[in-house]
């Protein structure tokens, strides 16, 4: 019989004592698989038999490994090297959400190649399913002490708010809620006539921008560089940037002015974002004012990217 770690919070589920965080992760994976299966079934014969199951198995397996690898390598960059023997001890250490996303996408692309189907179409379905997994996983983070919480803000928030504990925001709740909202937005997008891959591009733009802000809020020591910039924050900005770059390449000949504006705005957002993050971490300026500025900075490349996507999608359907 497996002995559970004493330092991890546990709960009873169906008469069995399990890790609380692990249970939420499993529920998230089950929900993601269910949504993927429903979306494939709604495809009305467009998908090969077993597509949802194969995508789920490959995405979960590769996602798990890449998530762990990302954490091991990047935690080492942060000054806490993880040797190989520790990397394969999966019950200790941590994982990277962006690494899980990359691995899941790799699994979807591999599944598309095995079944000889279009990878962009499968990534469109993966996006909302992955967001629902995130929504559950973030709730599970609430069972890890001092994890998924914000820094002390310049103005104390009322403790009566369910989002507040000990004067800090429960960021994991905000991330869970935002993931549900984004999943609904993407599911609605899937119901419309879109160019292949456009829903996934919308996911990169919206999730990347939202997660940059959420990672800035978090102050739990997970994957940080000198306790200043979070590595997951950098990777989230890369998601947003990748979405804009793909749209730039696709649209630059047809809409050069808008395409260049979108691309330049990404680099401007990186520079201004670093400056704002520095001010958040090292100055006495109101956090509310700084985060309002951060939202405005992130909104520009996101909005321009969405506009490029809309016009490119209309052109692709014509």
């Amino acid at each position: 019989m497996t002995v559970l770690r004493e330092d991890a919070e546990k709960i009873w589920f169906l008469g069995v004592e399990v890790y609380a965080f692990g249970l939420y992760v499993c529920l998230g994976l089950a929900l993601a698989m269910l949504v993927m299966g429903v979306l494939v079934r709604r495809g009305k014969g467009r998908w090969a038999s077993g597509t949802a199951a194969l995508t789920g198995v490959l995405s979960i397996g590769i996602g798990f490994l890449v998530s762990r690898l990302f954490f091991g390598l990047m935690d080492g960059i942060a000054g806490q090297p993880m040797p190989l023997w520790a990397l394969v001890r999966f019950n200790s250490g941590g994982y990277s959400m962006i690494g899980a996303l990359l691995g899941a996408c790799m699994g979807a692309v591999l599944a598309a190649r095995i079944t000889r189907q279009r990878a962009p179409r499968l990534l469109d379905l993966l996006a909302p399913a992955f967001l629902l997994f995130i929504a559950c996983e973030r709730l599970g983070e609430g069972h890890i002490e001092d994890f998924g919480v914000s820094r002390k803000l310049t103005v104390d928030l009322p403790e009566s708010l369910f989002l507040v504990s000990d004067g800090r925001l429960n960021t994991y709740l905000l991330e869970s809620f935002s993931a549900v909202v984004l999943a609904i937005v993407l599911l609605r997008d899937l119901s419309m006539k879109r160019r292949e891959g456009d829903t996934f591009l919308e996911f990169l733009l919206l999730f990347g921008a939202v997660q940059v802000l959420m990672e800035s809020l978090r102050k739990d020591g997970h994957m940080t560089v000198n306790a200043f910039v979070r590595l997951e924050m950098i990777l989230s900005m890369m998601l947003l940037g990748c979405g804009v770059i793909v749209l730039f390449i696709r649209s630059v000949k047809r809409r050069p002015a808008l395409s260049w504006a979108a691309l330049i705005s990404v680099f401007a957002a990186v520079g201004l974002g670093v400056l704002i993050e520095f001010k958040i971490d090292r100055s006495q300026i109101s956090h509310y004012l700084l985060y309002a500025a951060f939202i405005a900075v992130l909104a520009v490349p996101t909005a321009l990217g969405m506009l490029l996507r809309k016009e490119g999608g209309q052109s692709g359907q014509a």
Side-chain angles (χ1 to χ4, degrees), residues 121-272:
R121 291 172 55 197
L122 199 52
L123 289 172
D124 285 340
L125 304 189
L126 177 69
F130 187 81
L131 282 168
L132 292 175
F133 159 71
I134 290 177
C136 292
E137 187 277 341
R138 294 305 190 196
L139 290 178
E141 291 182 6
H143 294 275
I144 303 175
E145 186 178 1
D146 294 327
F147 197 73
V149 293
S150 77
R151 69 187 79 231
K152 288 278 188 178
L153 301 177
T154 49
V155 178
D156 290 337
L157 295 171
E159 291 289 335
S160 57
L161 291 177
F162 75 99
L163 288 174
V164 180
S165 297
D166 297 326
R168 299 192 293 178
L169 278 173
N170 293 322
T171 311
Y172 67 90
L173 290 177
L174 292 175
E175 290 178 284
S176 180
F177 175 74
S178 65
V180 172
V181 172
L182 291 181
I184 294 172
V185 170
L186 295 187
L187 288 171
R188 181 176 179 275
D189 193 70
L190 282 173
S191 67
M192 303 177 182
K193 289 186 177 181
R194 298 292 186 191
R195 184 171 176 171
E196 289 183 3
D198 267 17
T199 298
F200 185 71
L201 286 174
E202 183 177 37
F203 164 74
L204 292 179
L205 295 173
L206 297 181
F207 177 69
V210 170
Q211 200 55 36
V212 168
L213 187 65
M214 295 299 171
E215 292 294 343
S216 176
L217 278 171
R218 293 170 71 106
K219 194 70 173 179
D220 51 24
H222 179 68
M223 295 178 66
T224 59
V225 180
N226 296 326
F228 172 41
V229 178
R230 297 175 63 86
L231 290 163
E232 294 275 73
M233 182 181 177
I234 297 172
L235 294 173
S236 297
M237 190 66 210
M238 290 177 64
L239 294 182
L240 173 59
C242 285
V244 172
I245 289 171
V246 170
L247 290 164
F248 169 83
I249 295 171
R250 193 172 82 179
S251 306
V252 66
K253 291 183 179 180
R254 186 179 64 259
R255 294 297 305 274
L258 182 59
S259 298
W260 279 106
L263 184 63
I264 292 171
S265 71
V266 171
F267 293 101
V270 171
L272 291 172

Side-chain angles (χ1 to χ4, degrees), residues 9-180:
E9 185 173 337
K10 298 172 282 293
I11 58 177
W12 289 89
F13 181 72
L14 300 179
V16 179
E17 190 178 27
V18 297
Y19 294 122
F21 175 72
L23 175 62
Y24 278 93
V25 170
C26 290
L27 292 176
L29 291 174
L31 180 59
M33 287 284 291
L34 175 63
V35 170
M36 177 66 75
V38 171
L39 292 176
V40 168
R41 184 177 293 273
R42 284 176 54 190
K44 298 179 180 179
R46 290 188 302 166
W47 299 99
S49 177
T51 296
L54 179 62
T55 303
V57 170
L58 291 176
S59 293
I60 292 173
I62 300 175
F64 175 81
L65 294 175
V66 176
S67 174
R68 182 65 171 177
L69 183 62
F70 262 46
F71 175 82
L73 294 178
M74 294 182 185
D75 202 43
I77 292 175
Q80 301 171 8
M82 177 174 282
L84 181 61
W85 64 265
L87 192 62
V88 297
R89 291 183 58 182
F90 300 123
N91 65 336
S92 62
Y95 297 85
S96 163
M97 181 60 75
I98 303 301
L101 170 60
L102 176 60
C105 291
M106 292 167 62
V109 171
L110 180 58
R113 295 202 63 176
I114 292 173
T115 57
R116 297 183 179 180
Q117 298 177 102
R118 296 280 296 171
R121 291 172 55 197
L122 199 52
L123 289 172
D124 285 340
L125 304 189
L126 177 69
F130 187 81
L131 282 168
L132 292 175
F133 159 71
I134 290 177
C136 292
E137 187 277 341
R138 294 305 190 196
L139 290 178
E141 291 182 6
H143 294 275
I144 303 175
E145 186 178 1
D146 294 327
F147 197 73
V149 293
S150 77
R151 69 187 79 231
K152 288 278 188 178
L153 301 177
T154 49
V155 178
D156 290 337
L157 295 171
E159 291 289 335
S160 57
L161 291 177
F162 75 99
L163 288 174
V164 180
S165 297
D166 297 326
R168 299 192 293 178
L169 278 173
N170 293 322
T171 311
Y172 67 90
L173 290 177
L174 292 175
E175 290 178 284
S176 180
F177 175 74
S178 65
V180 172

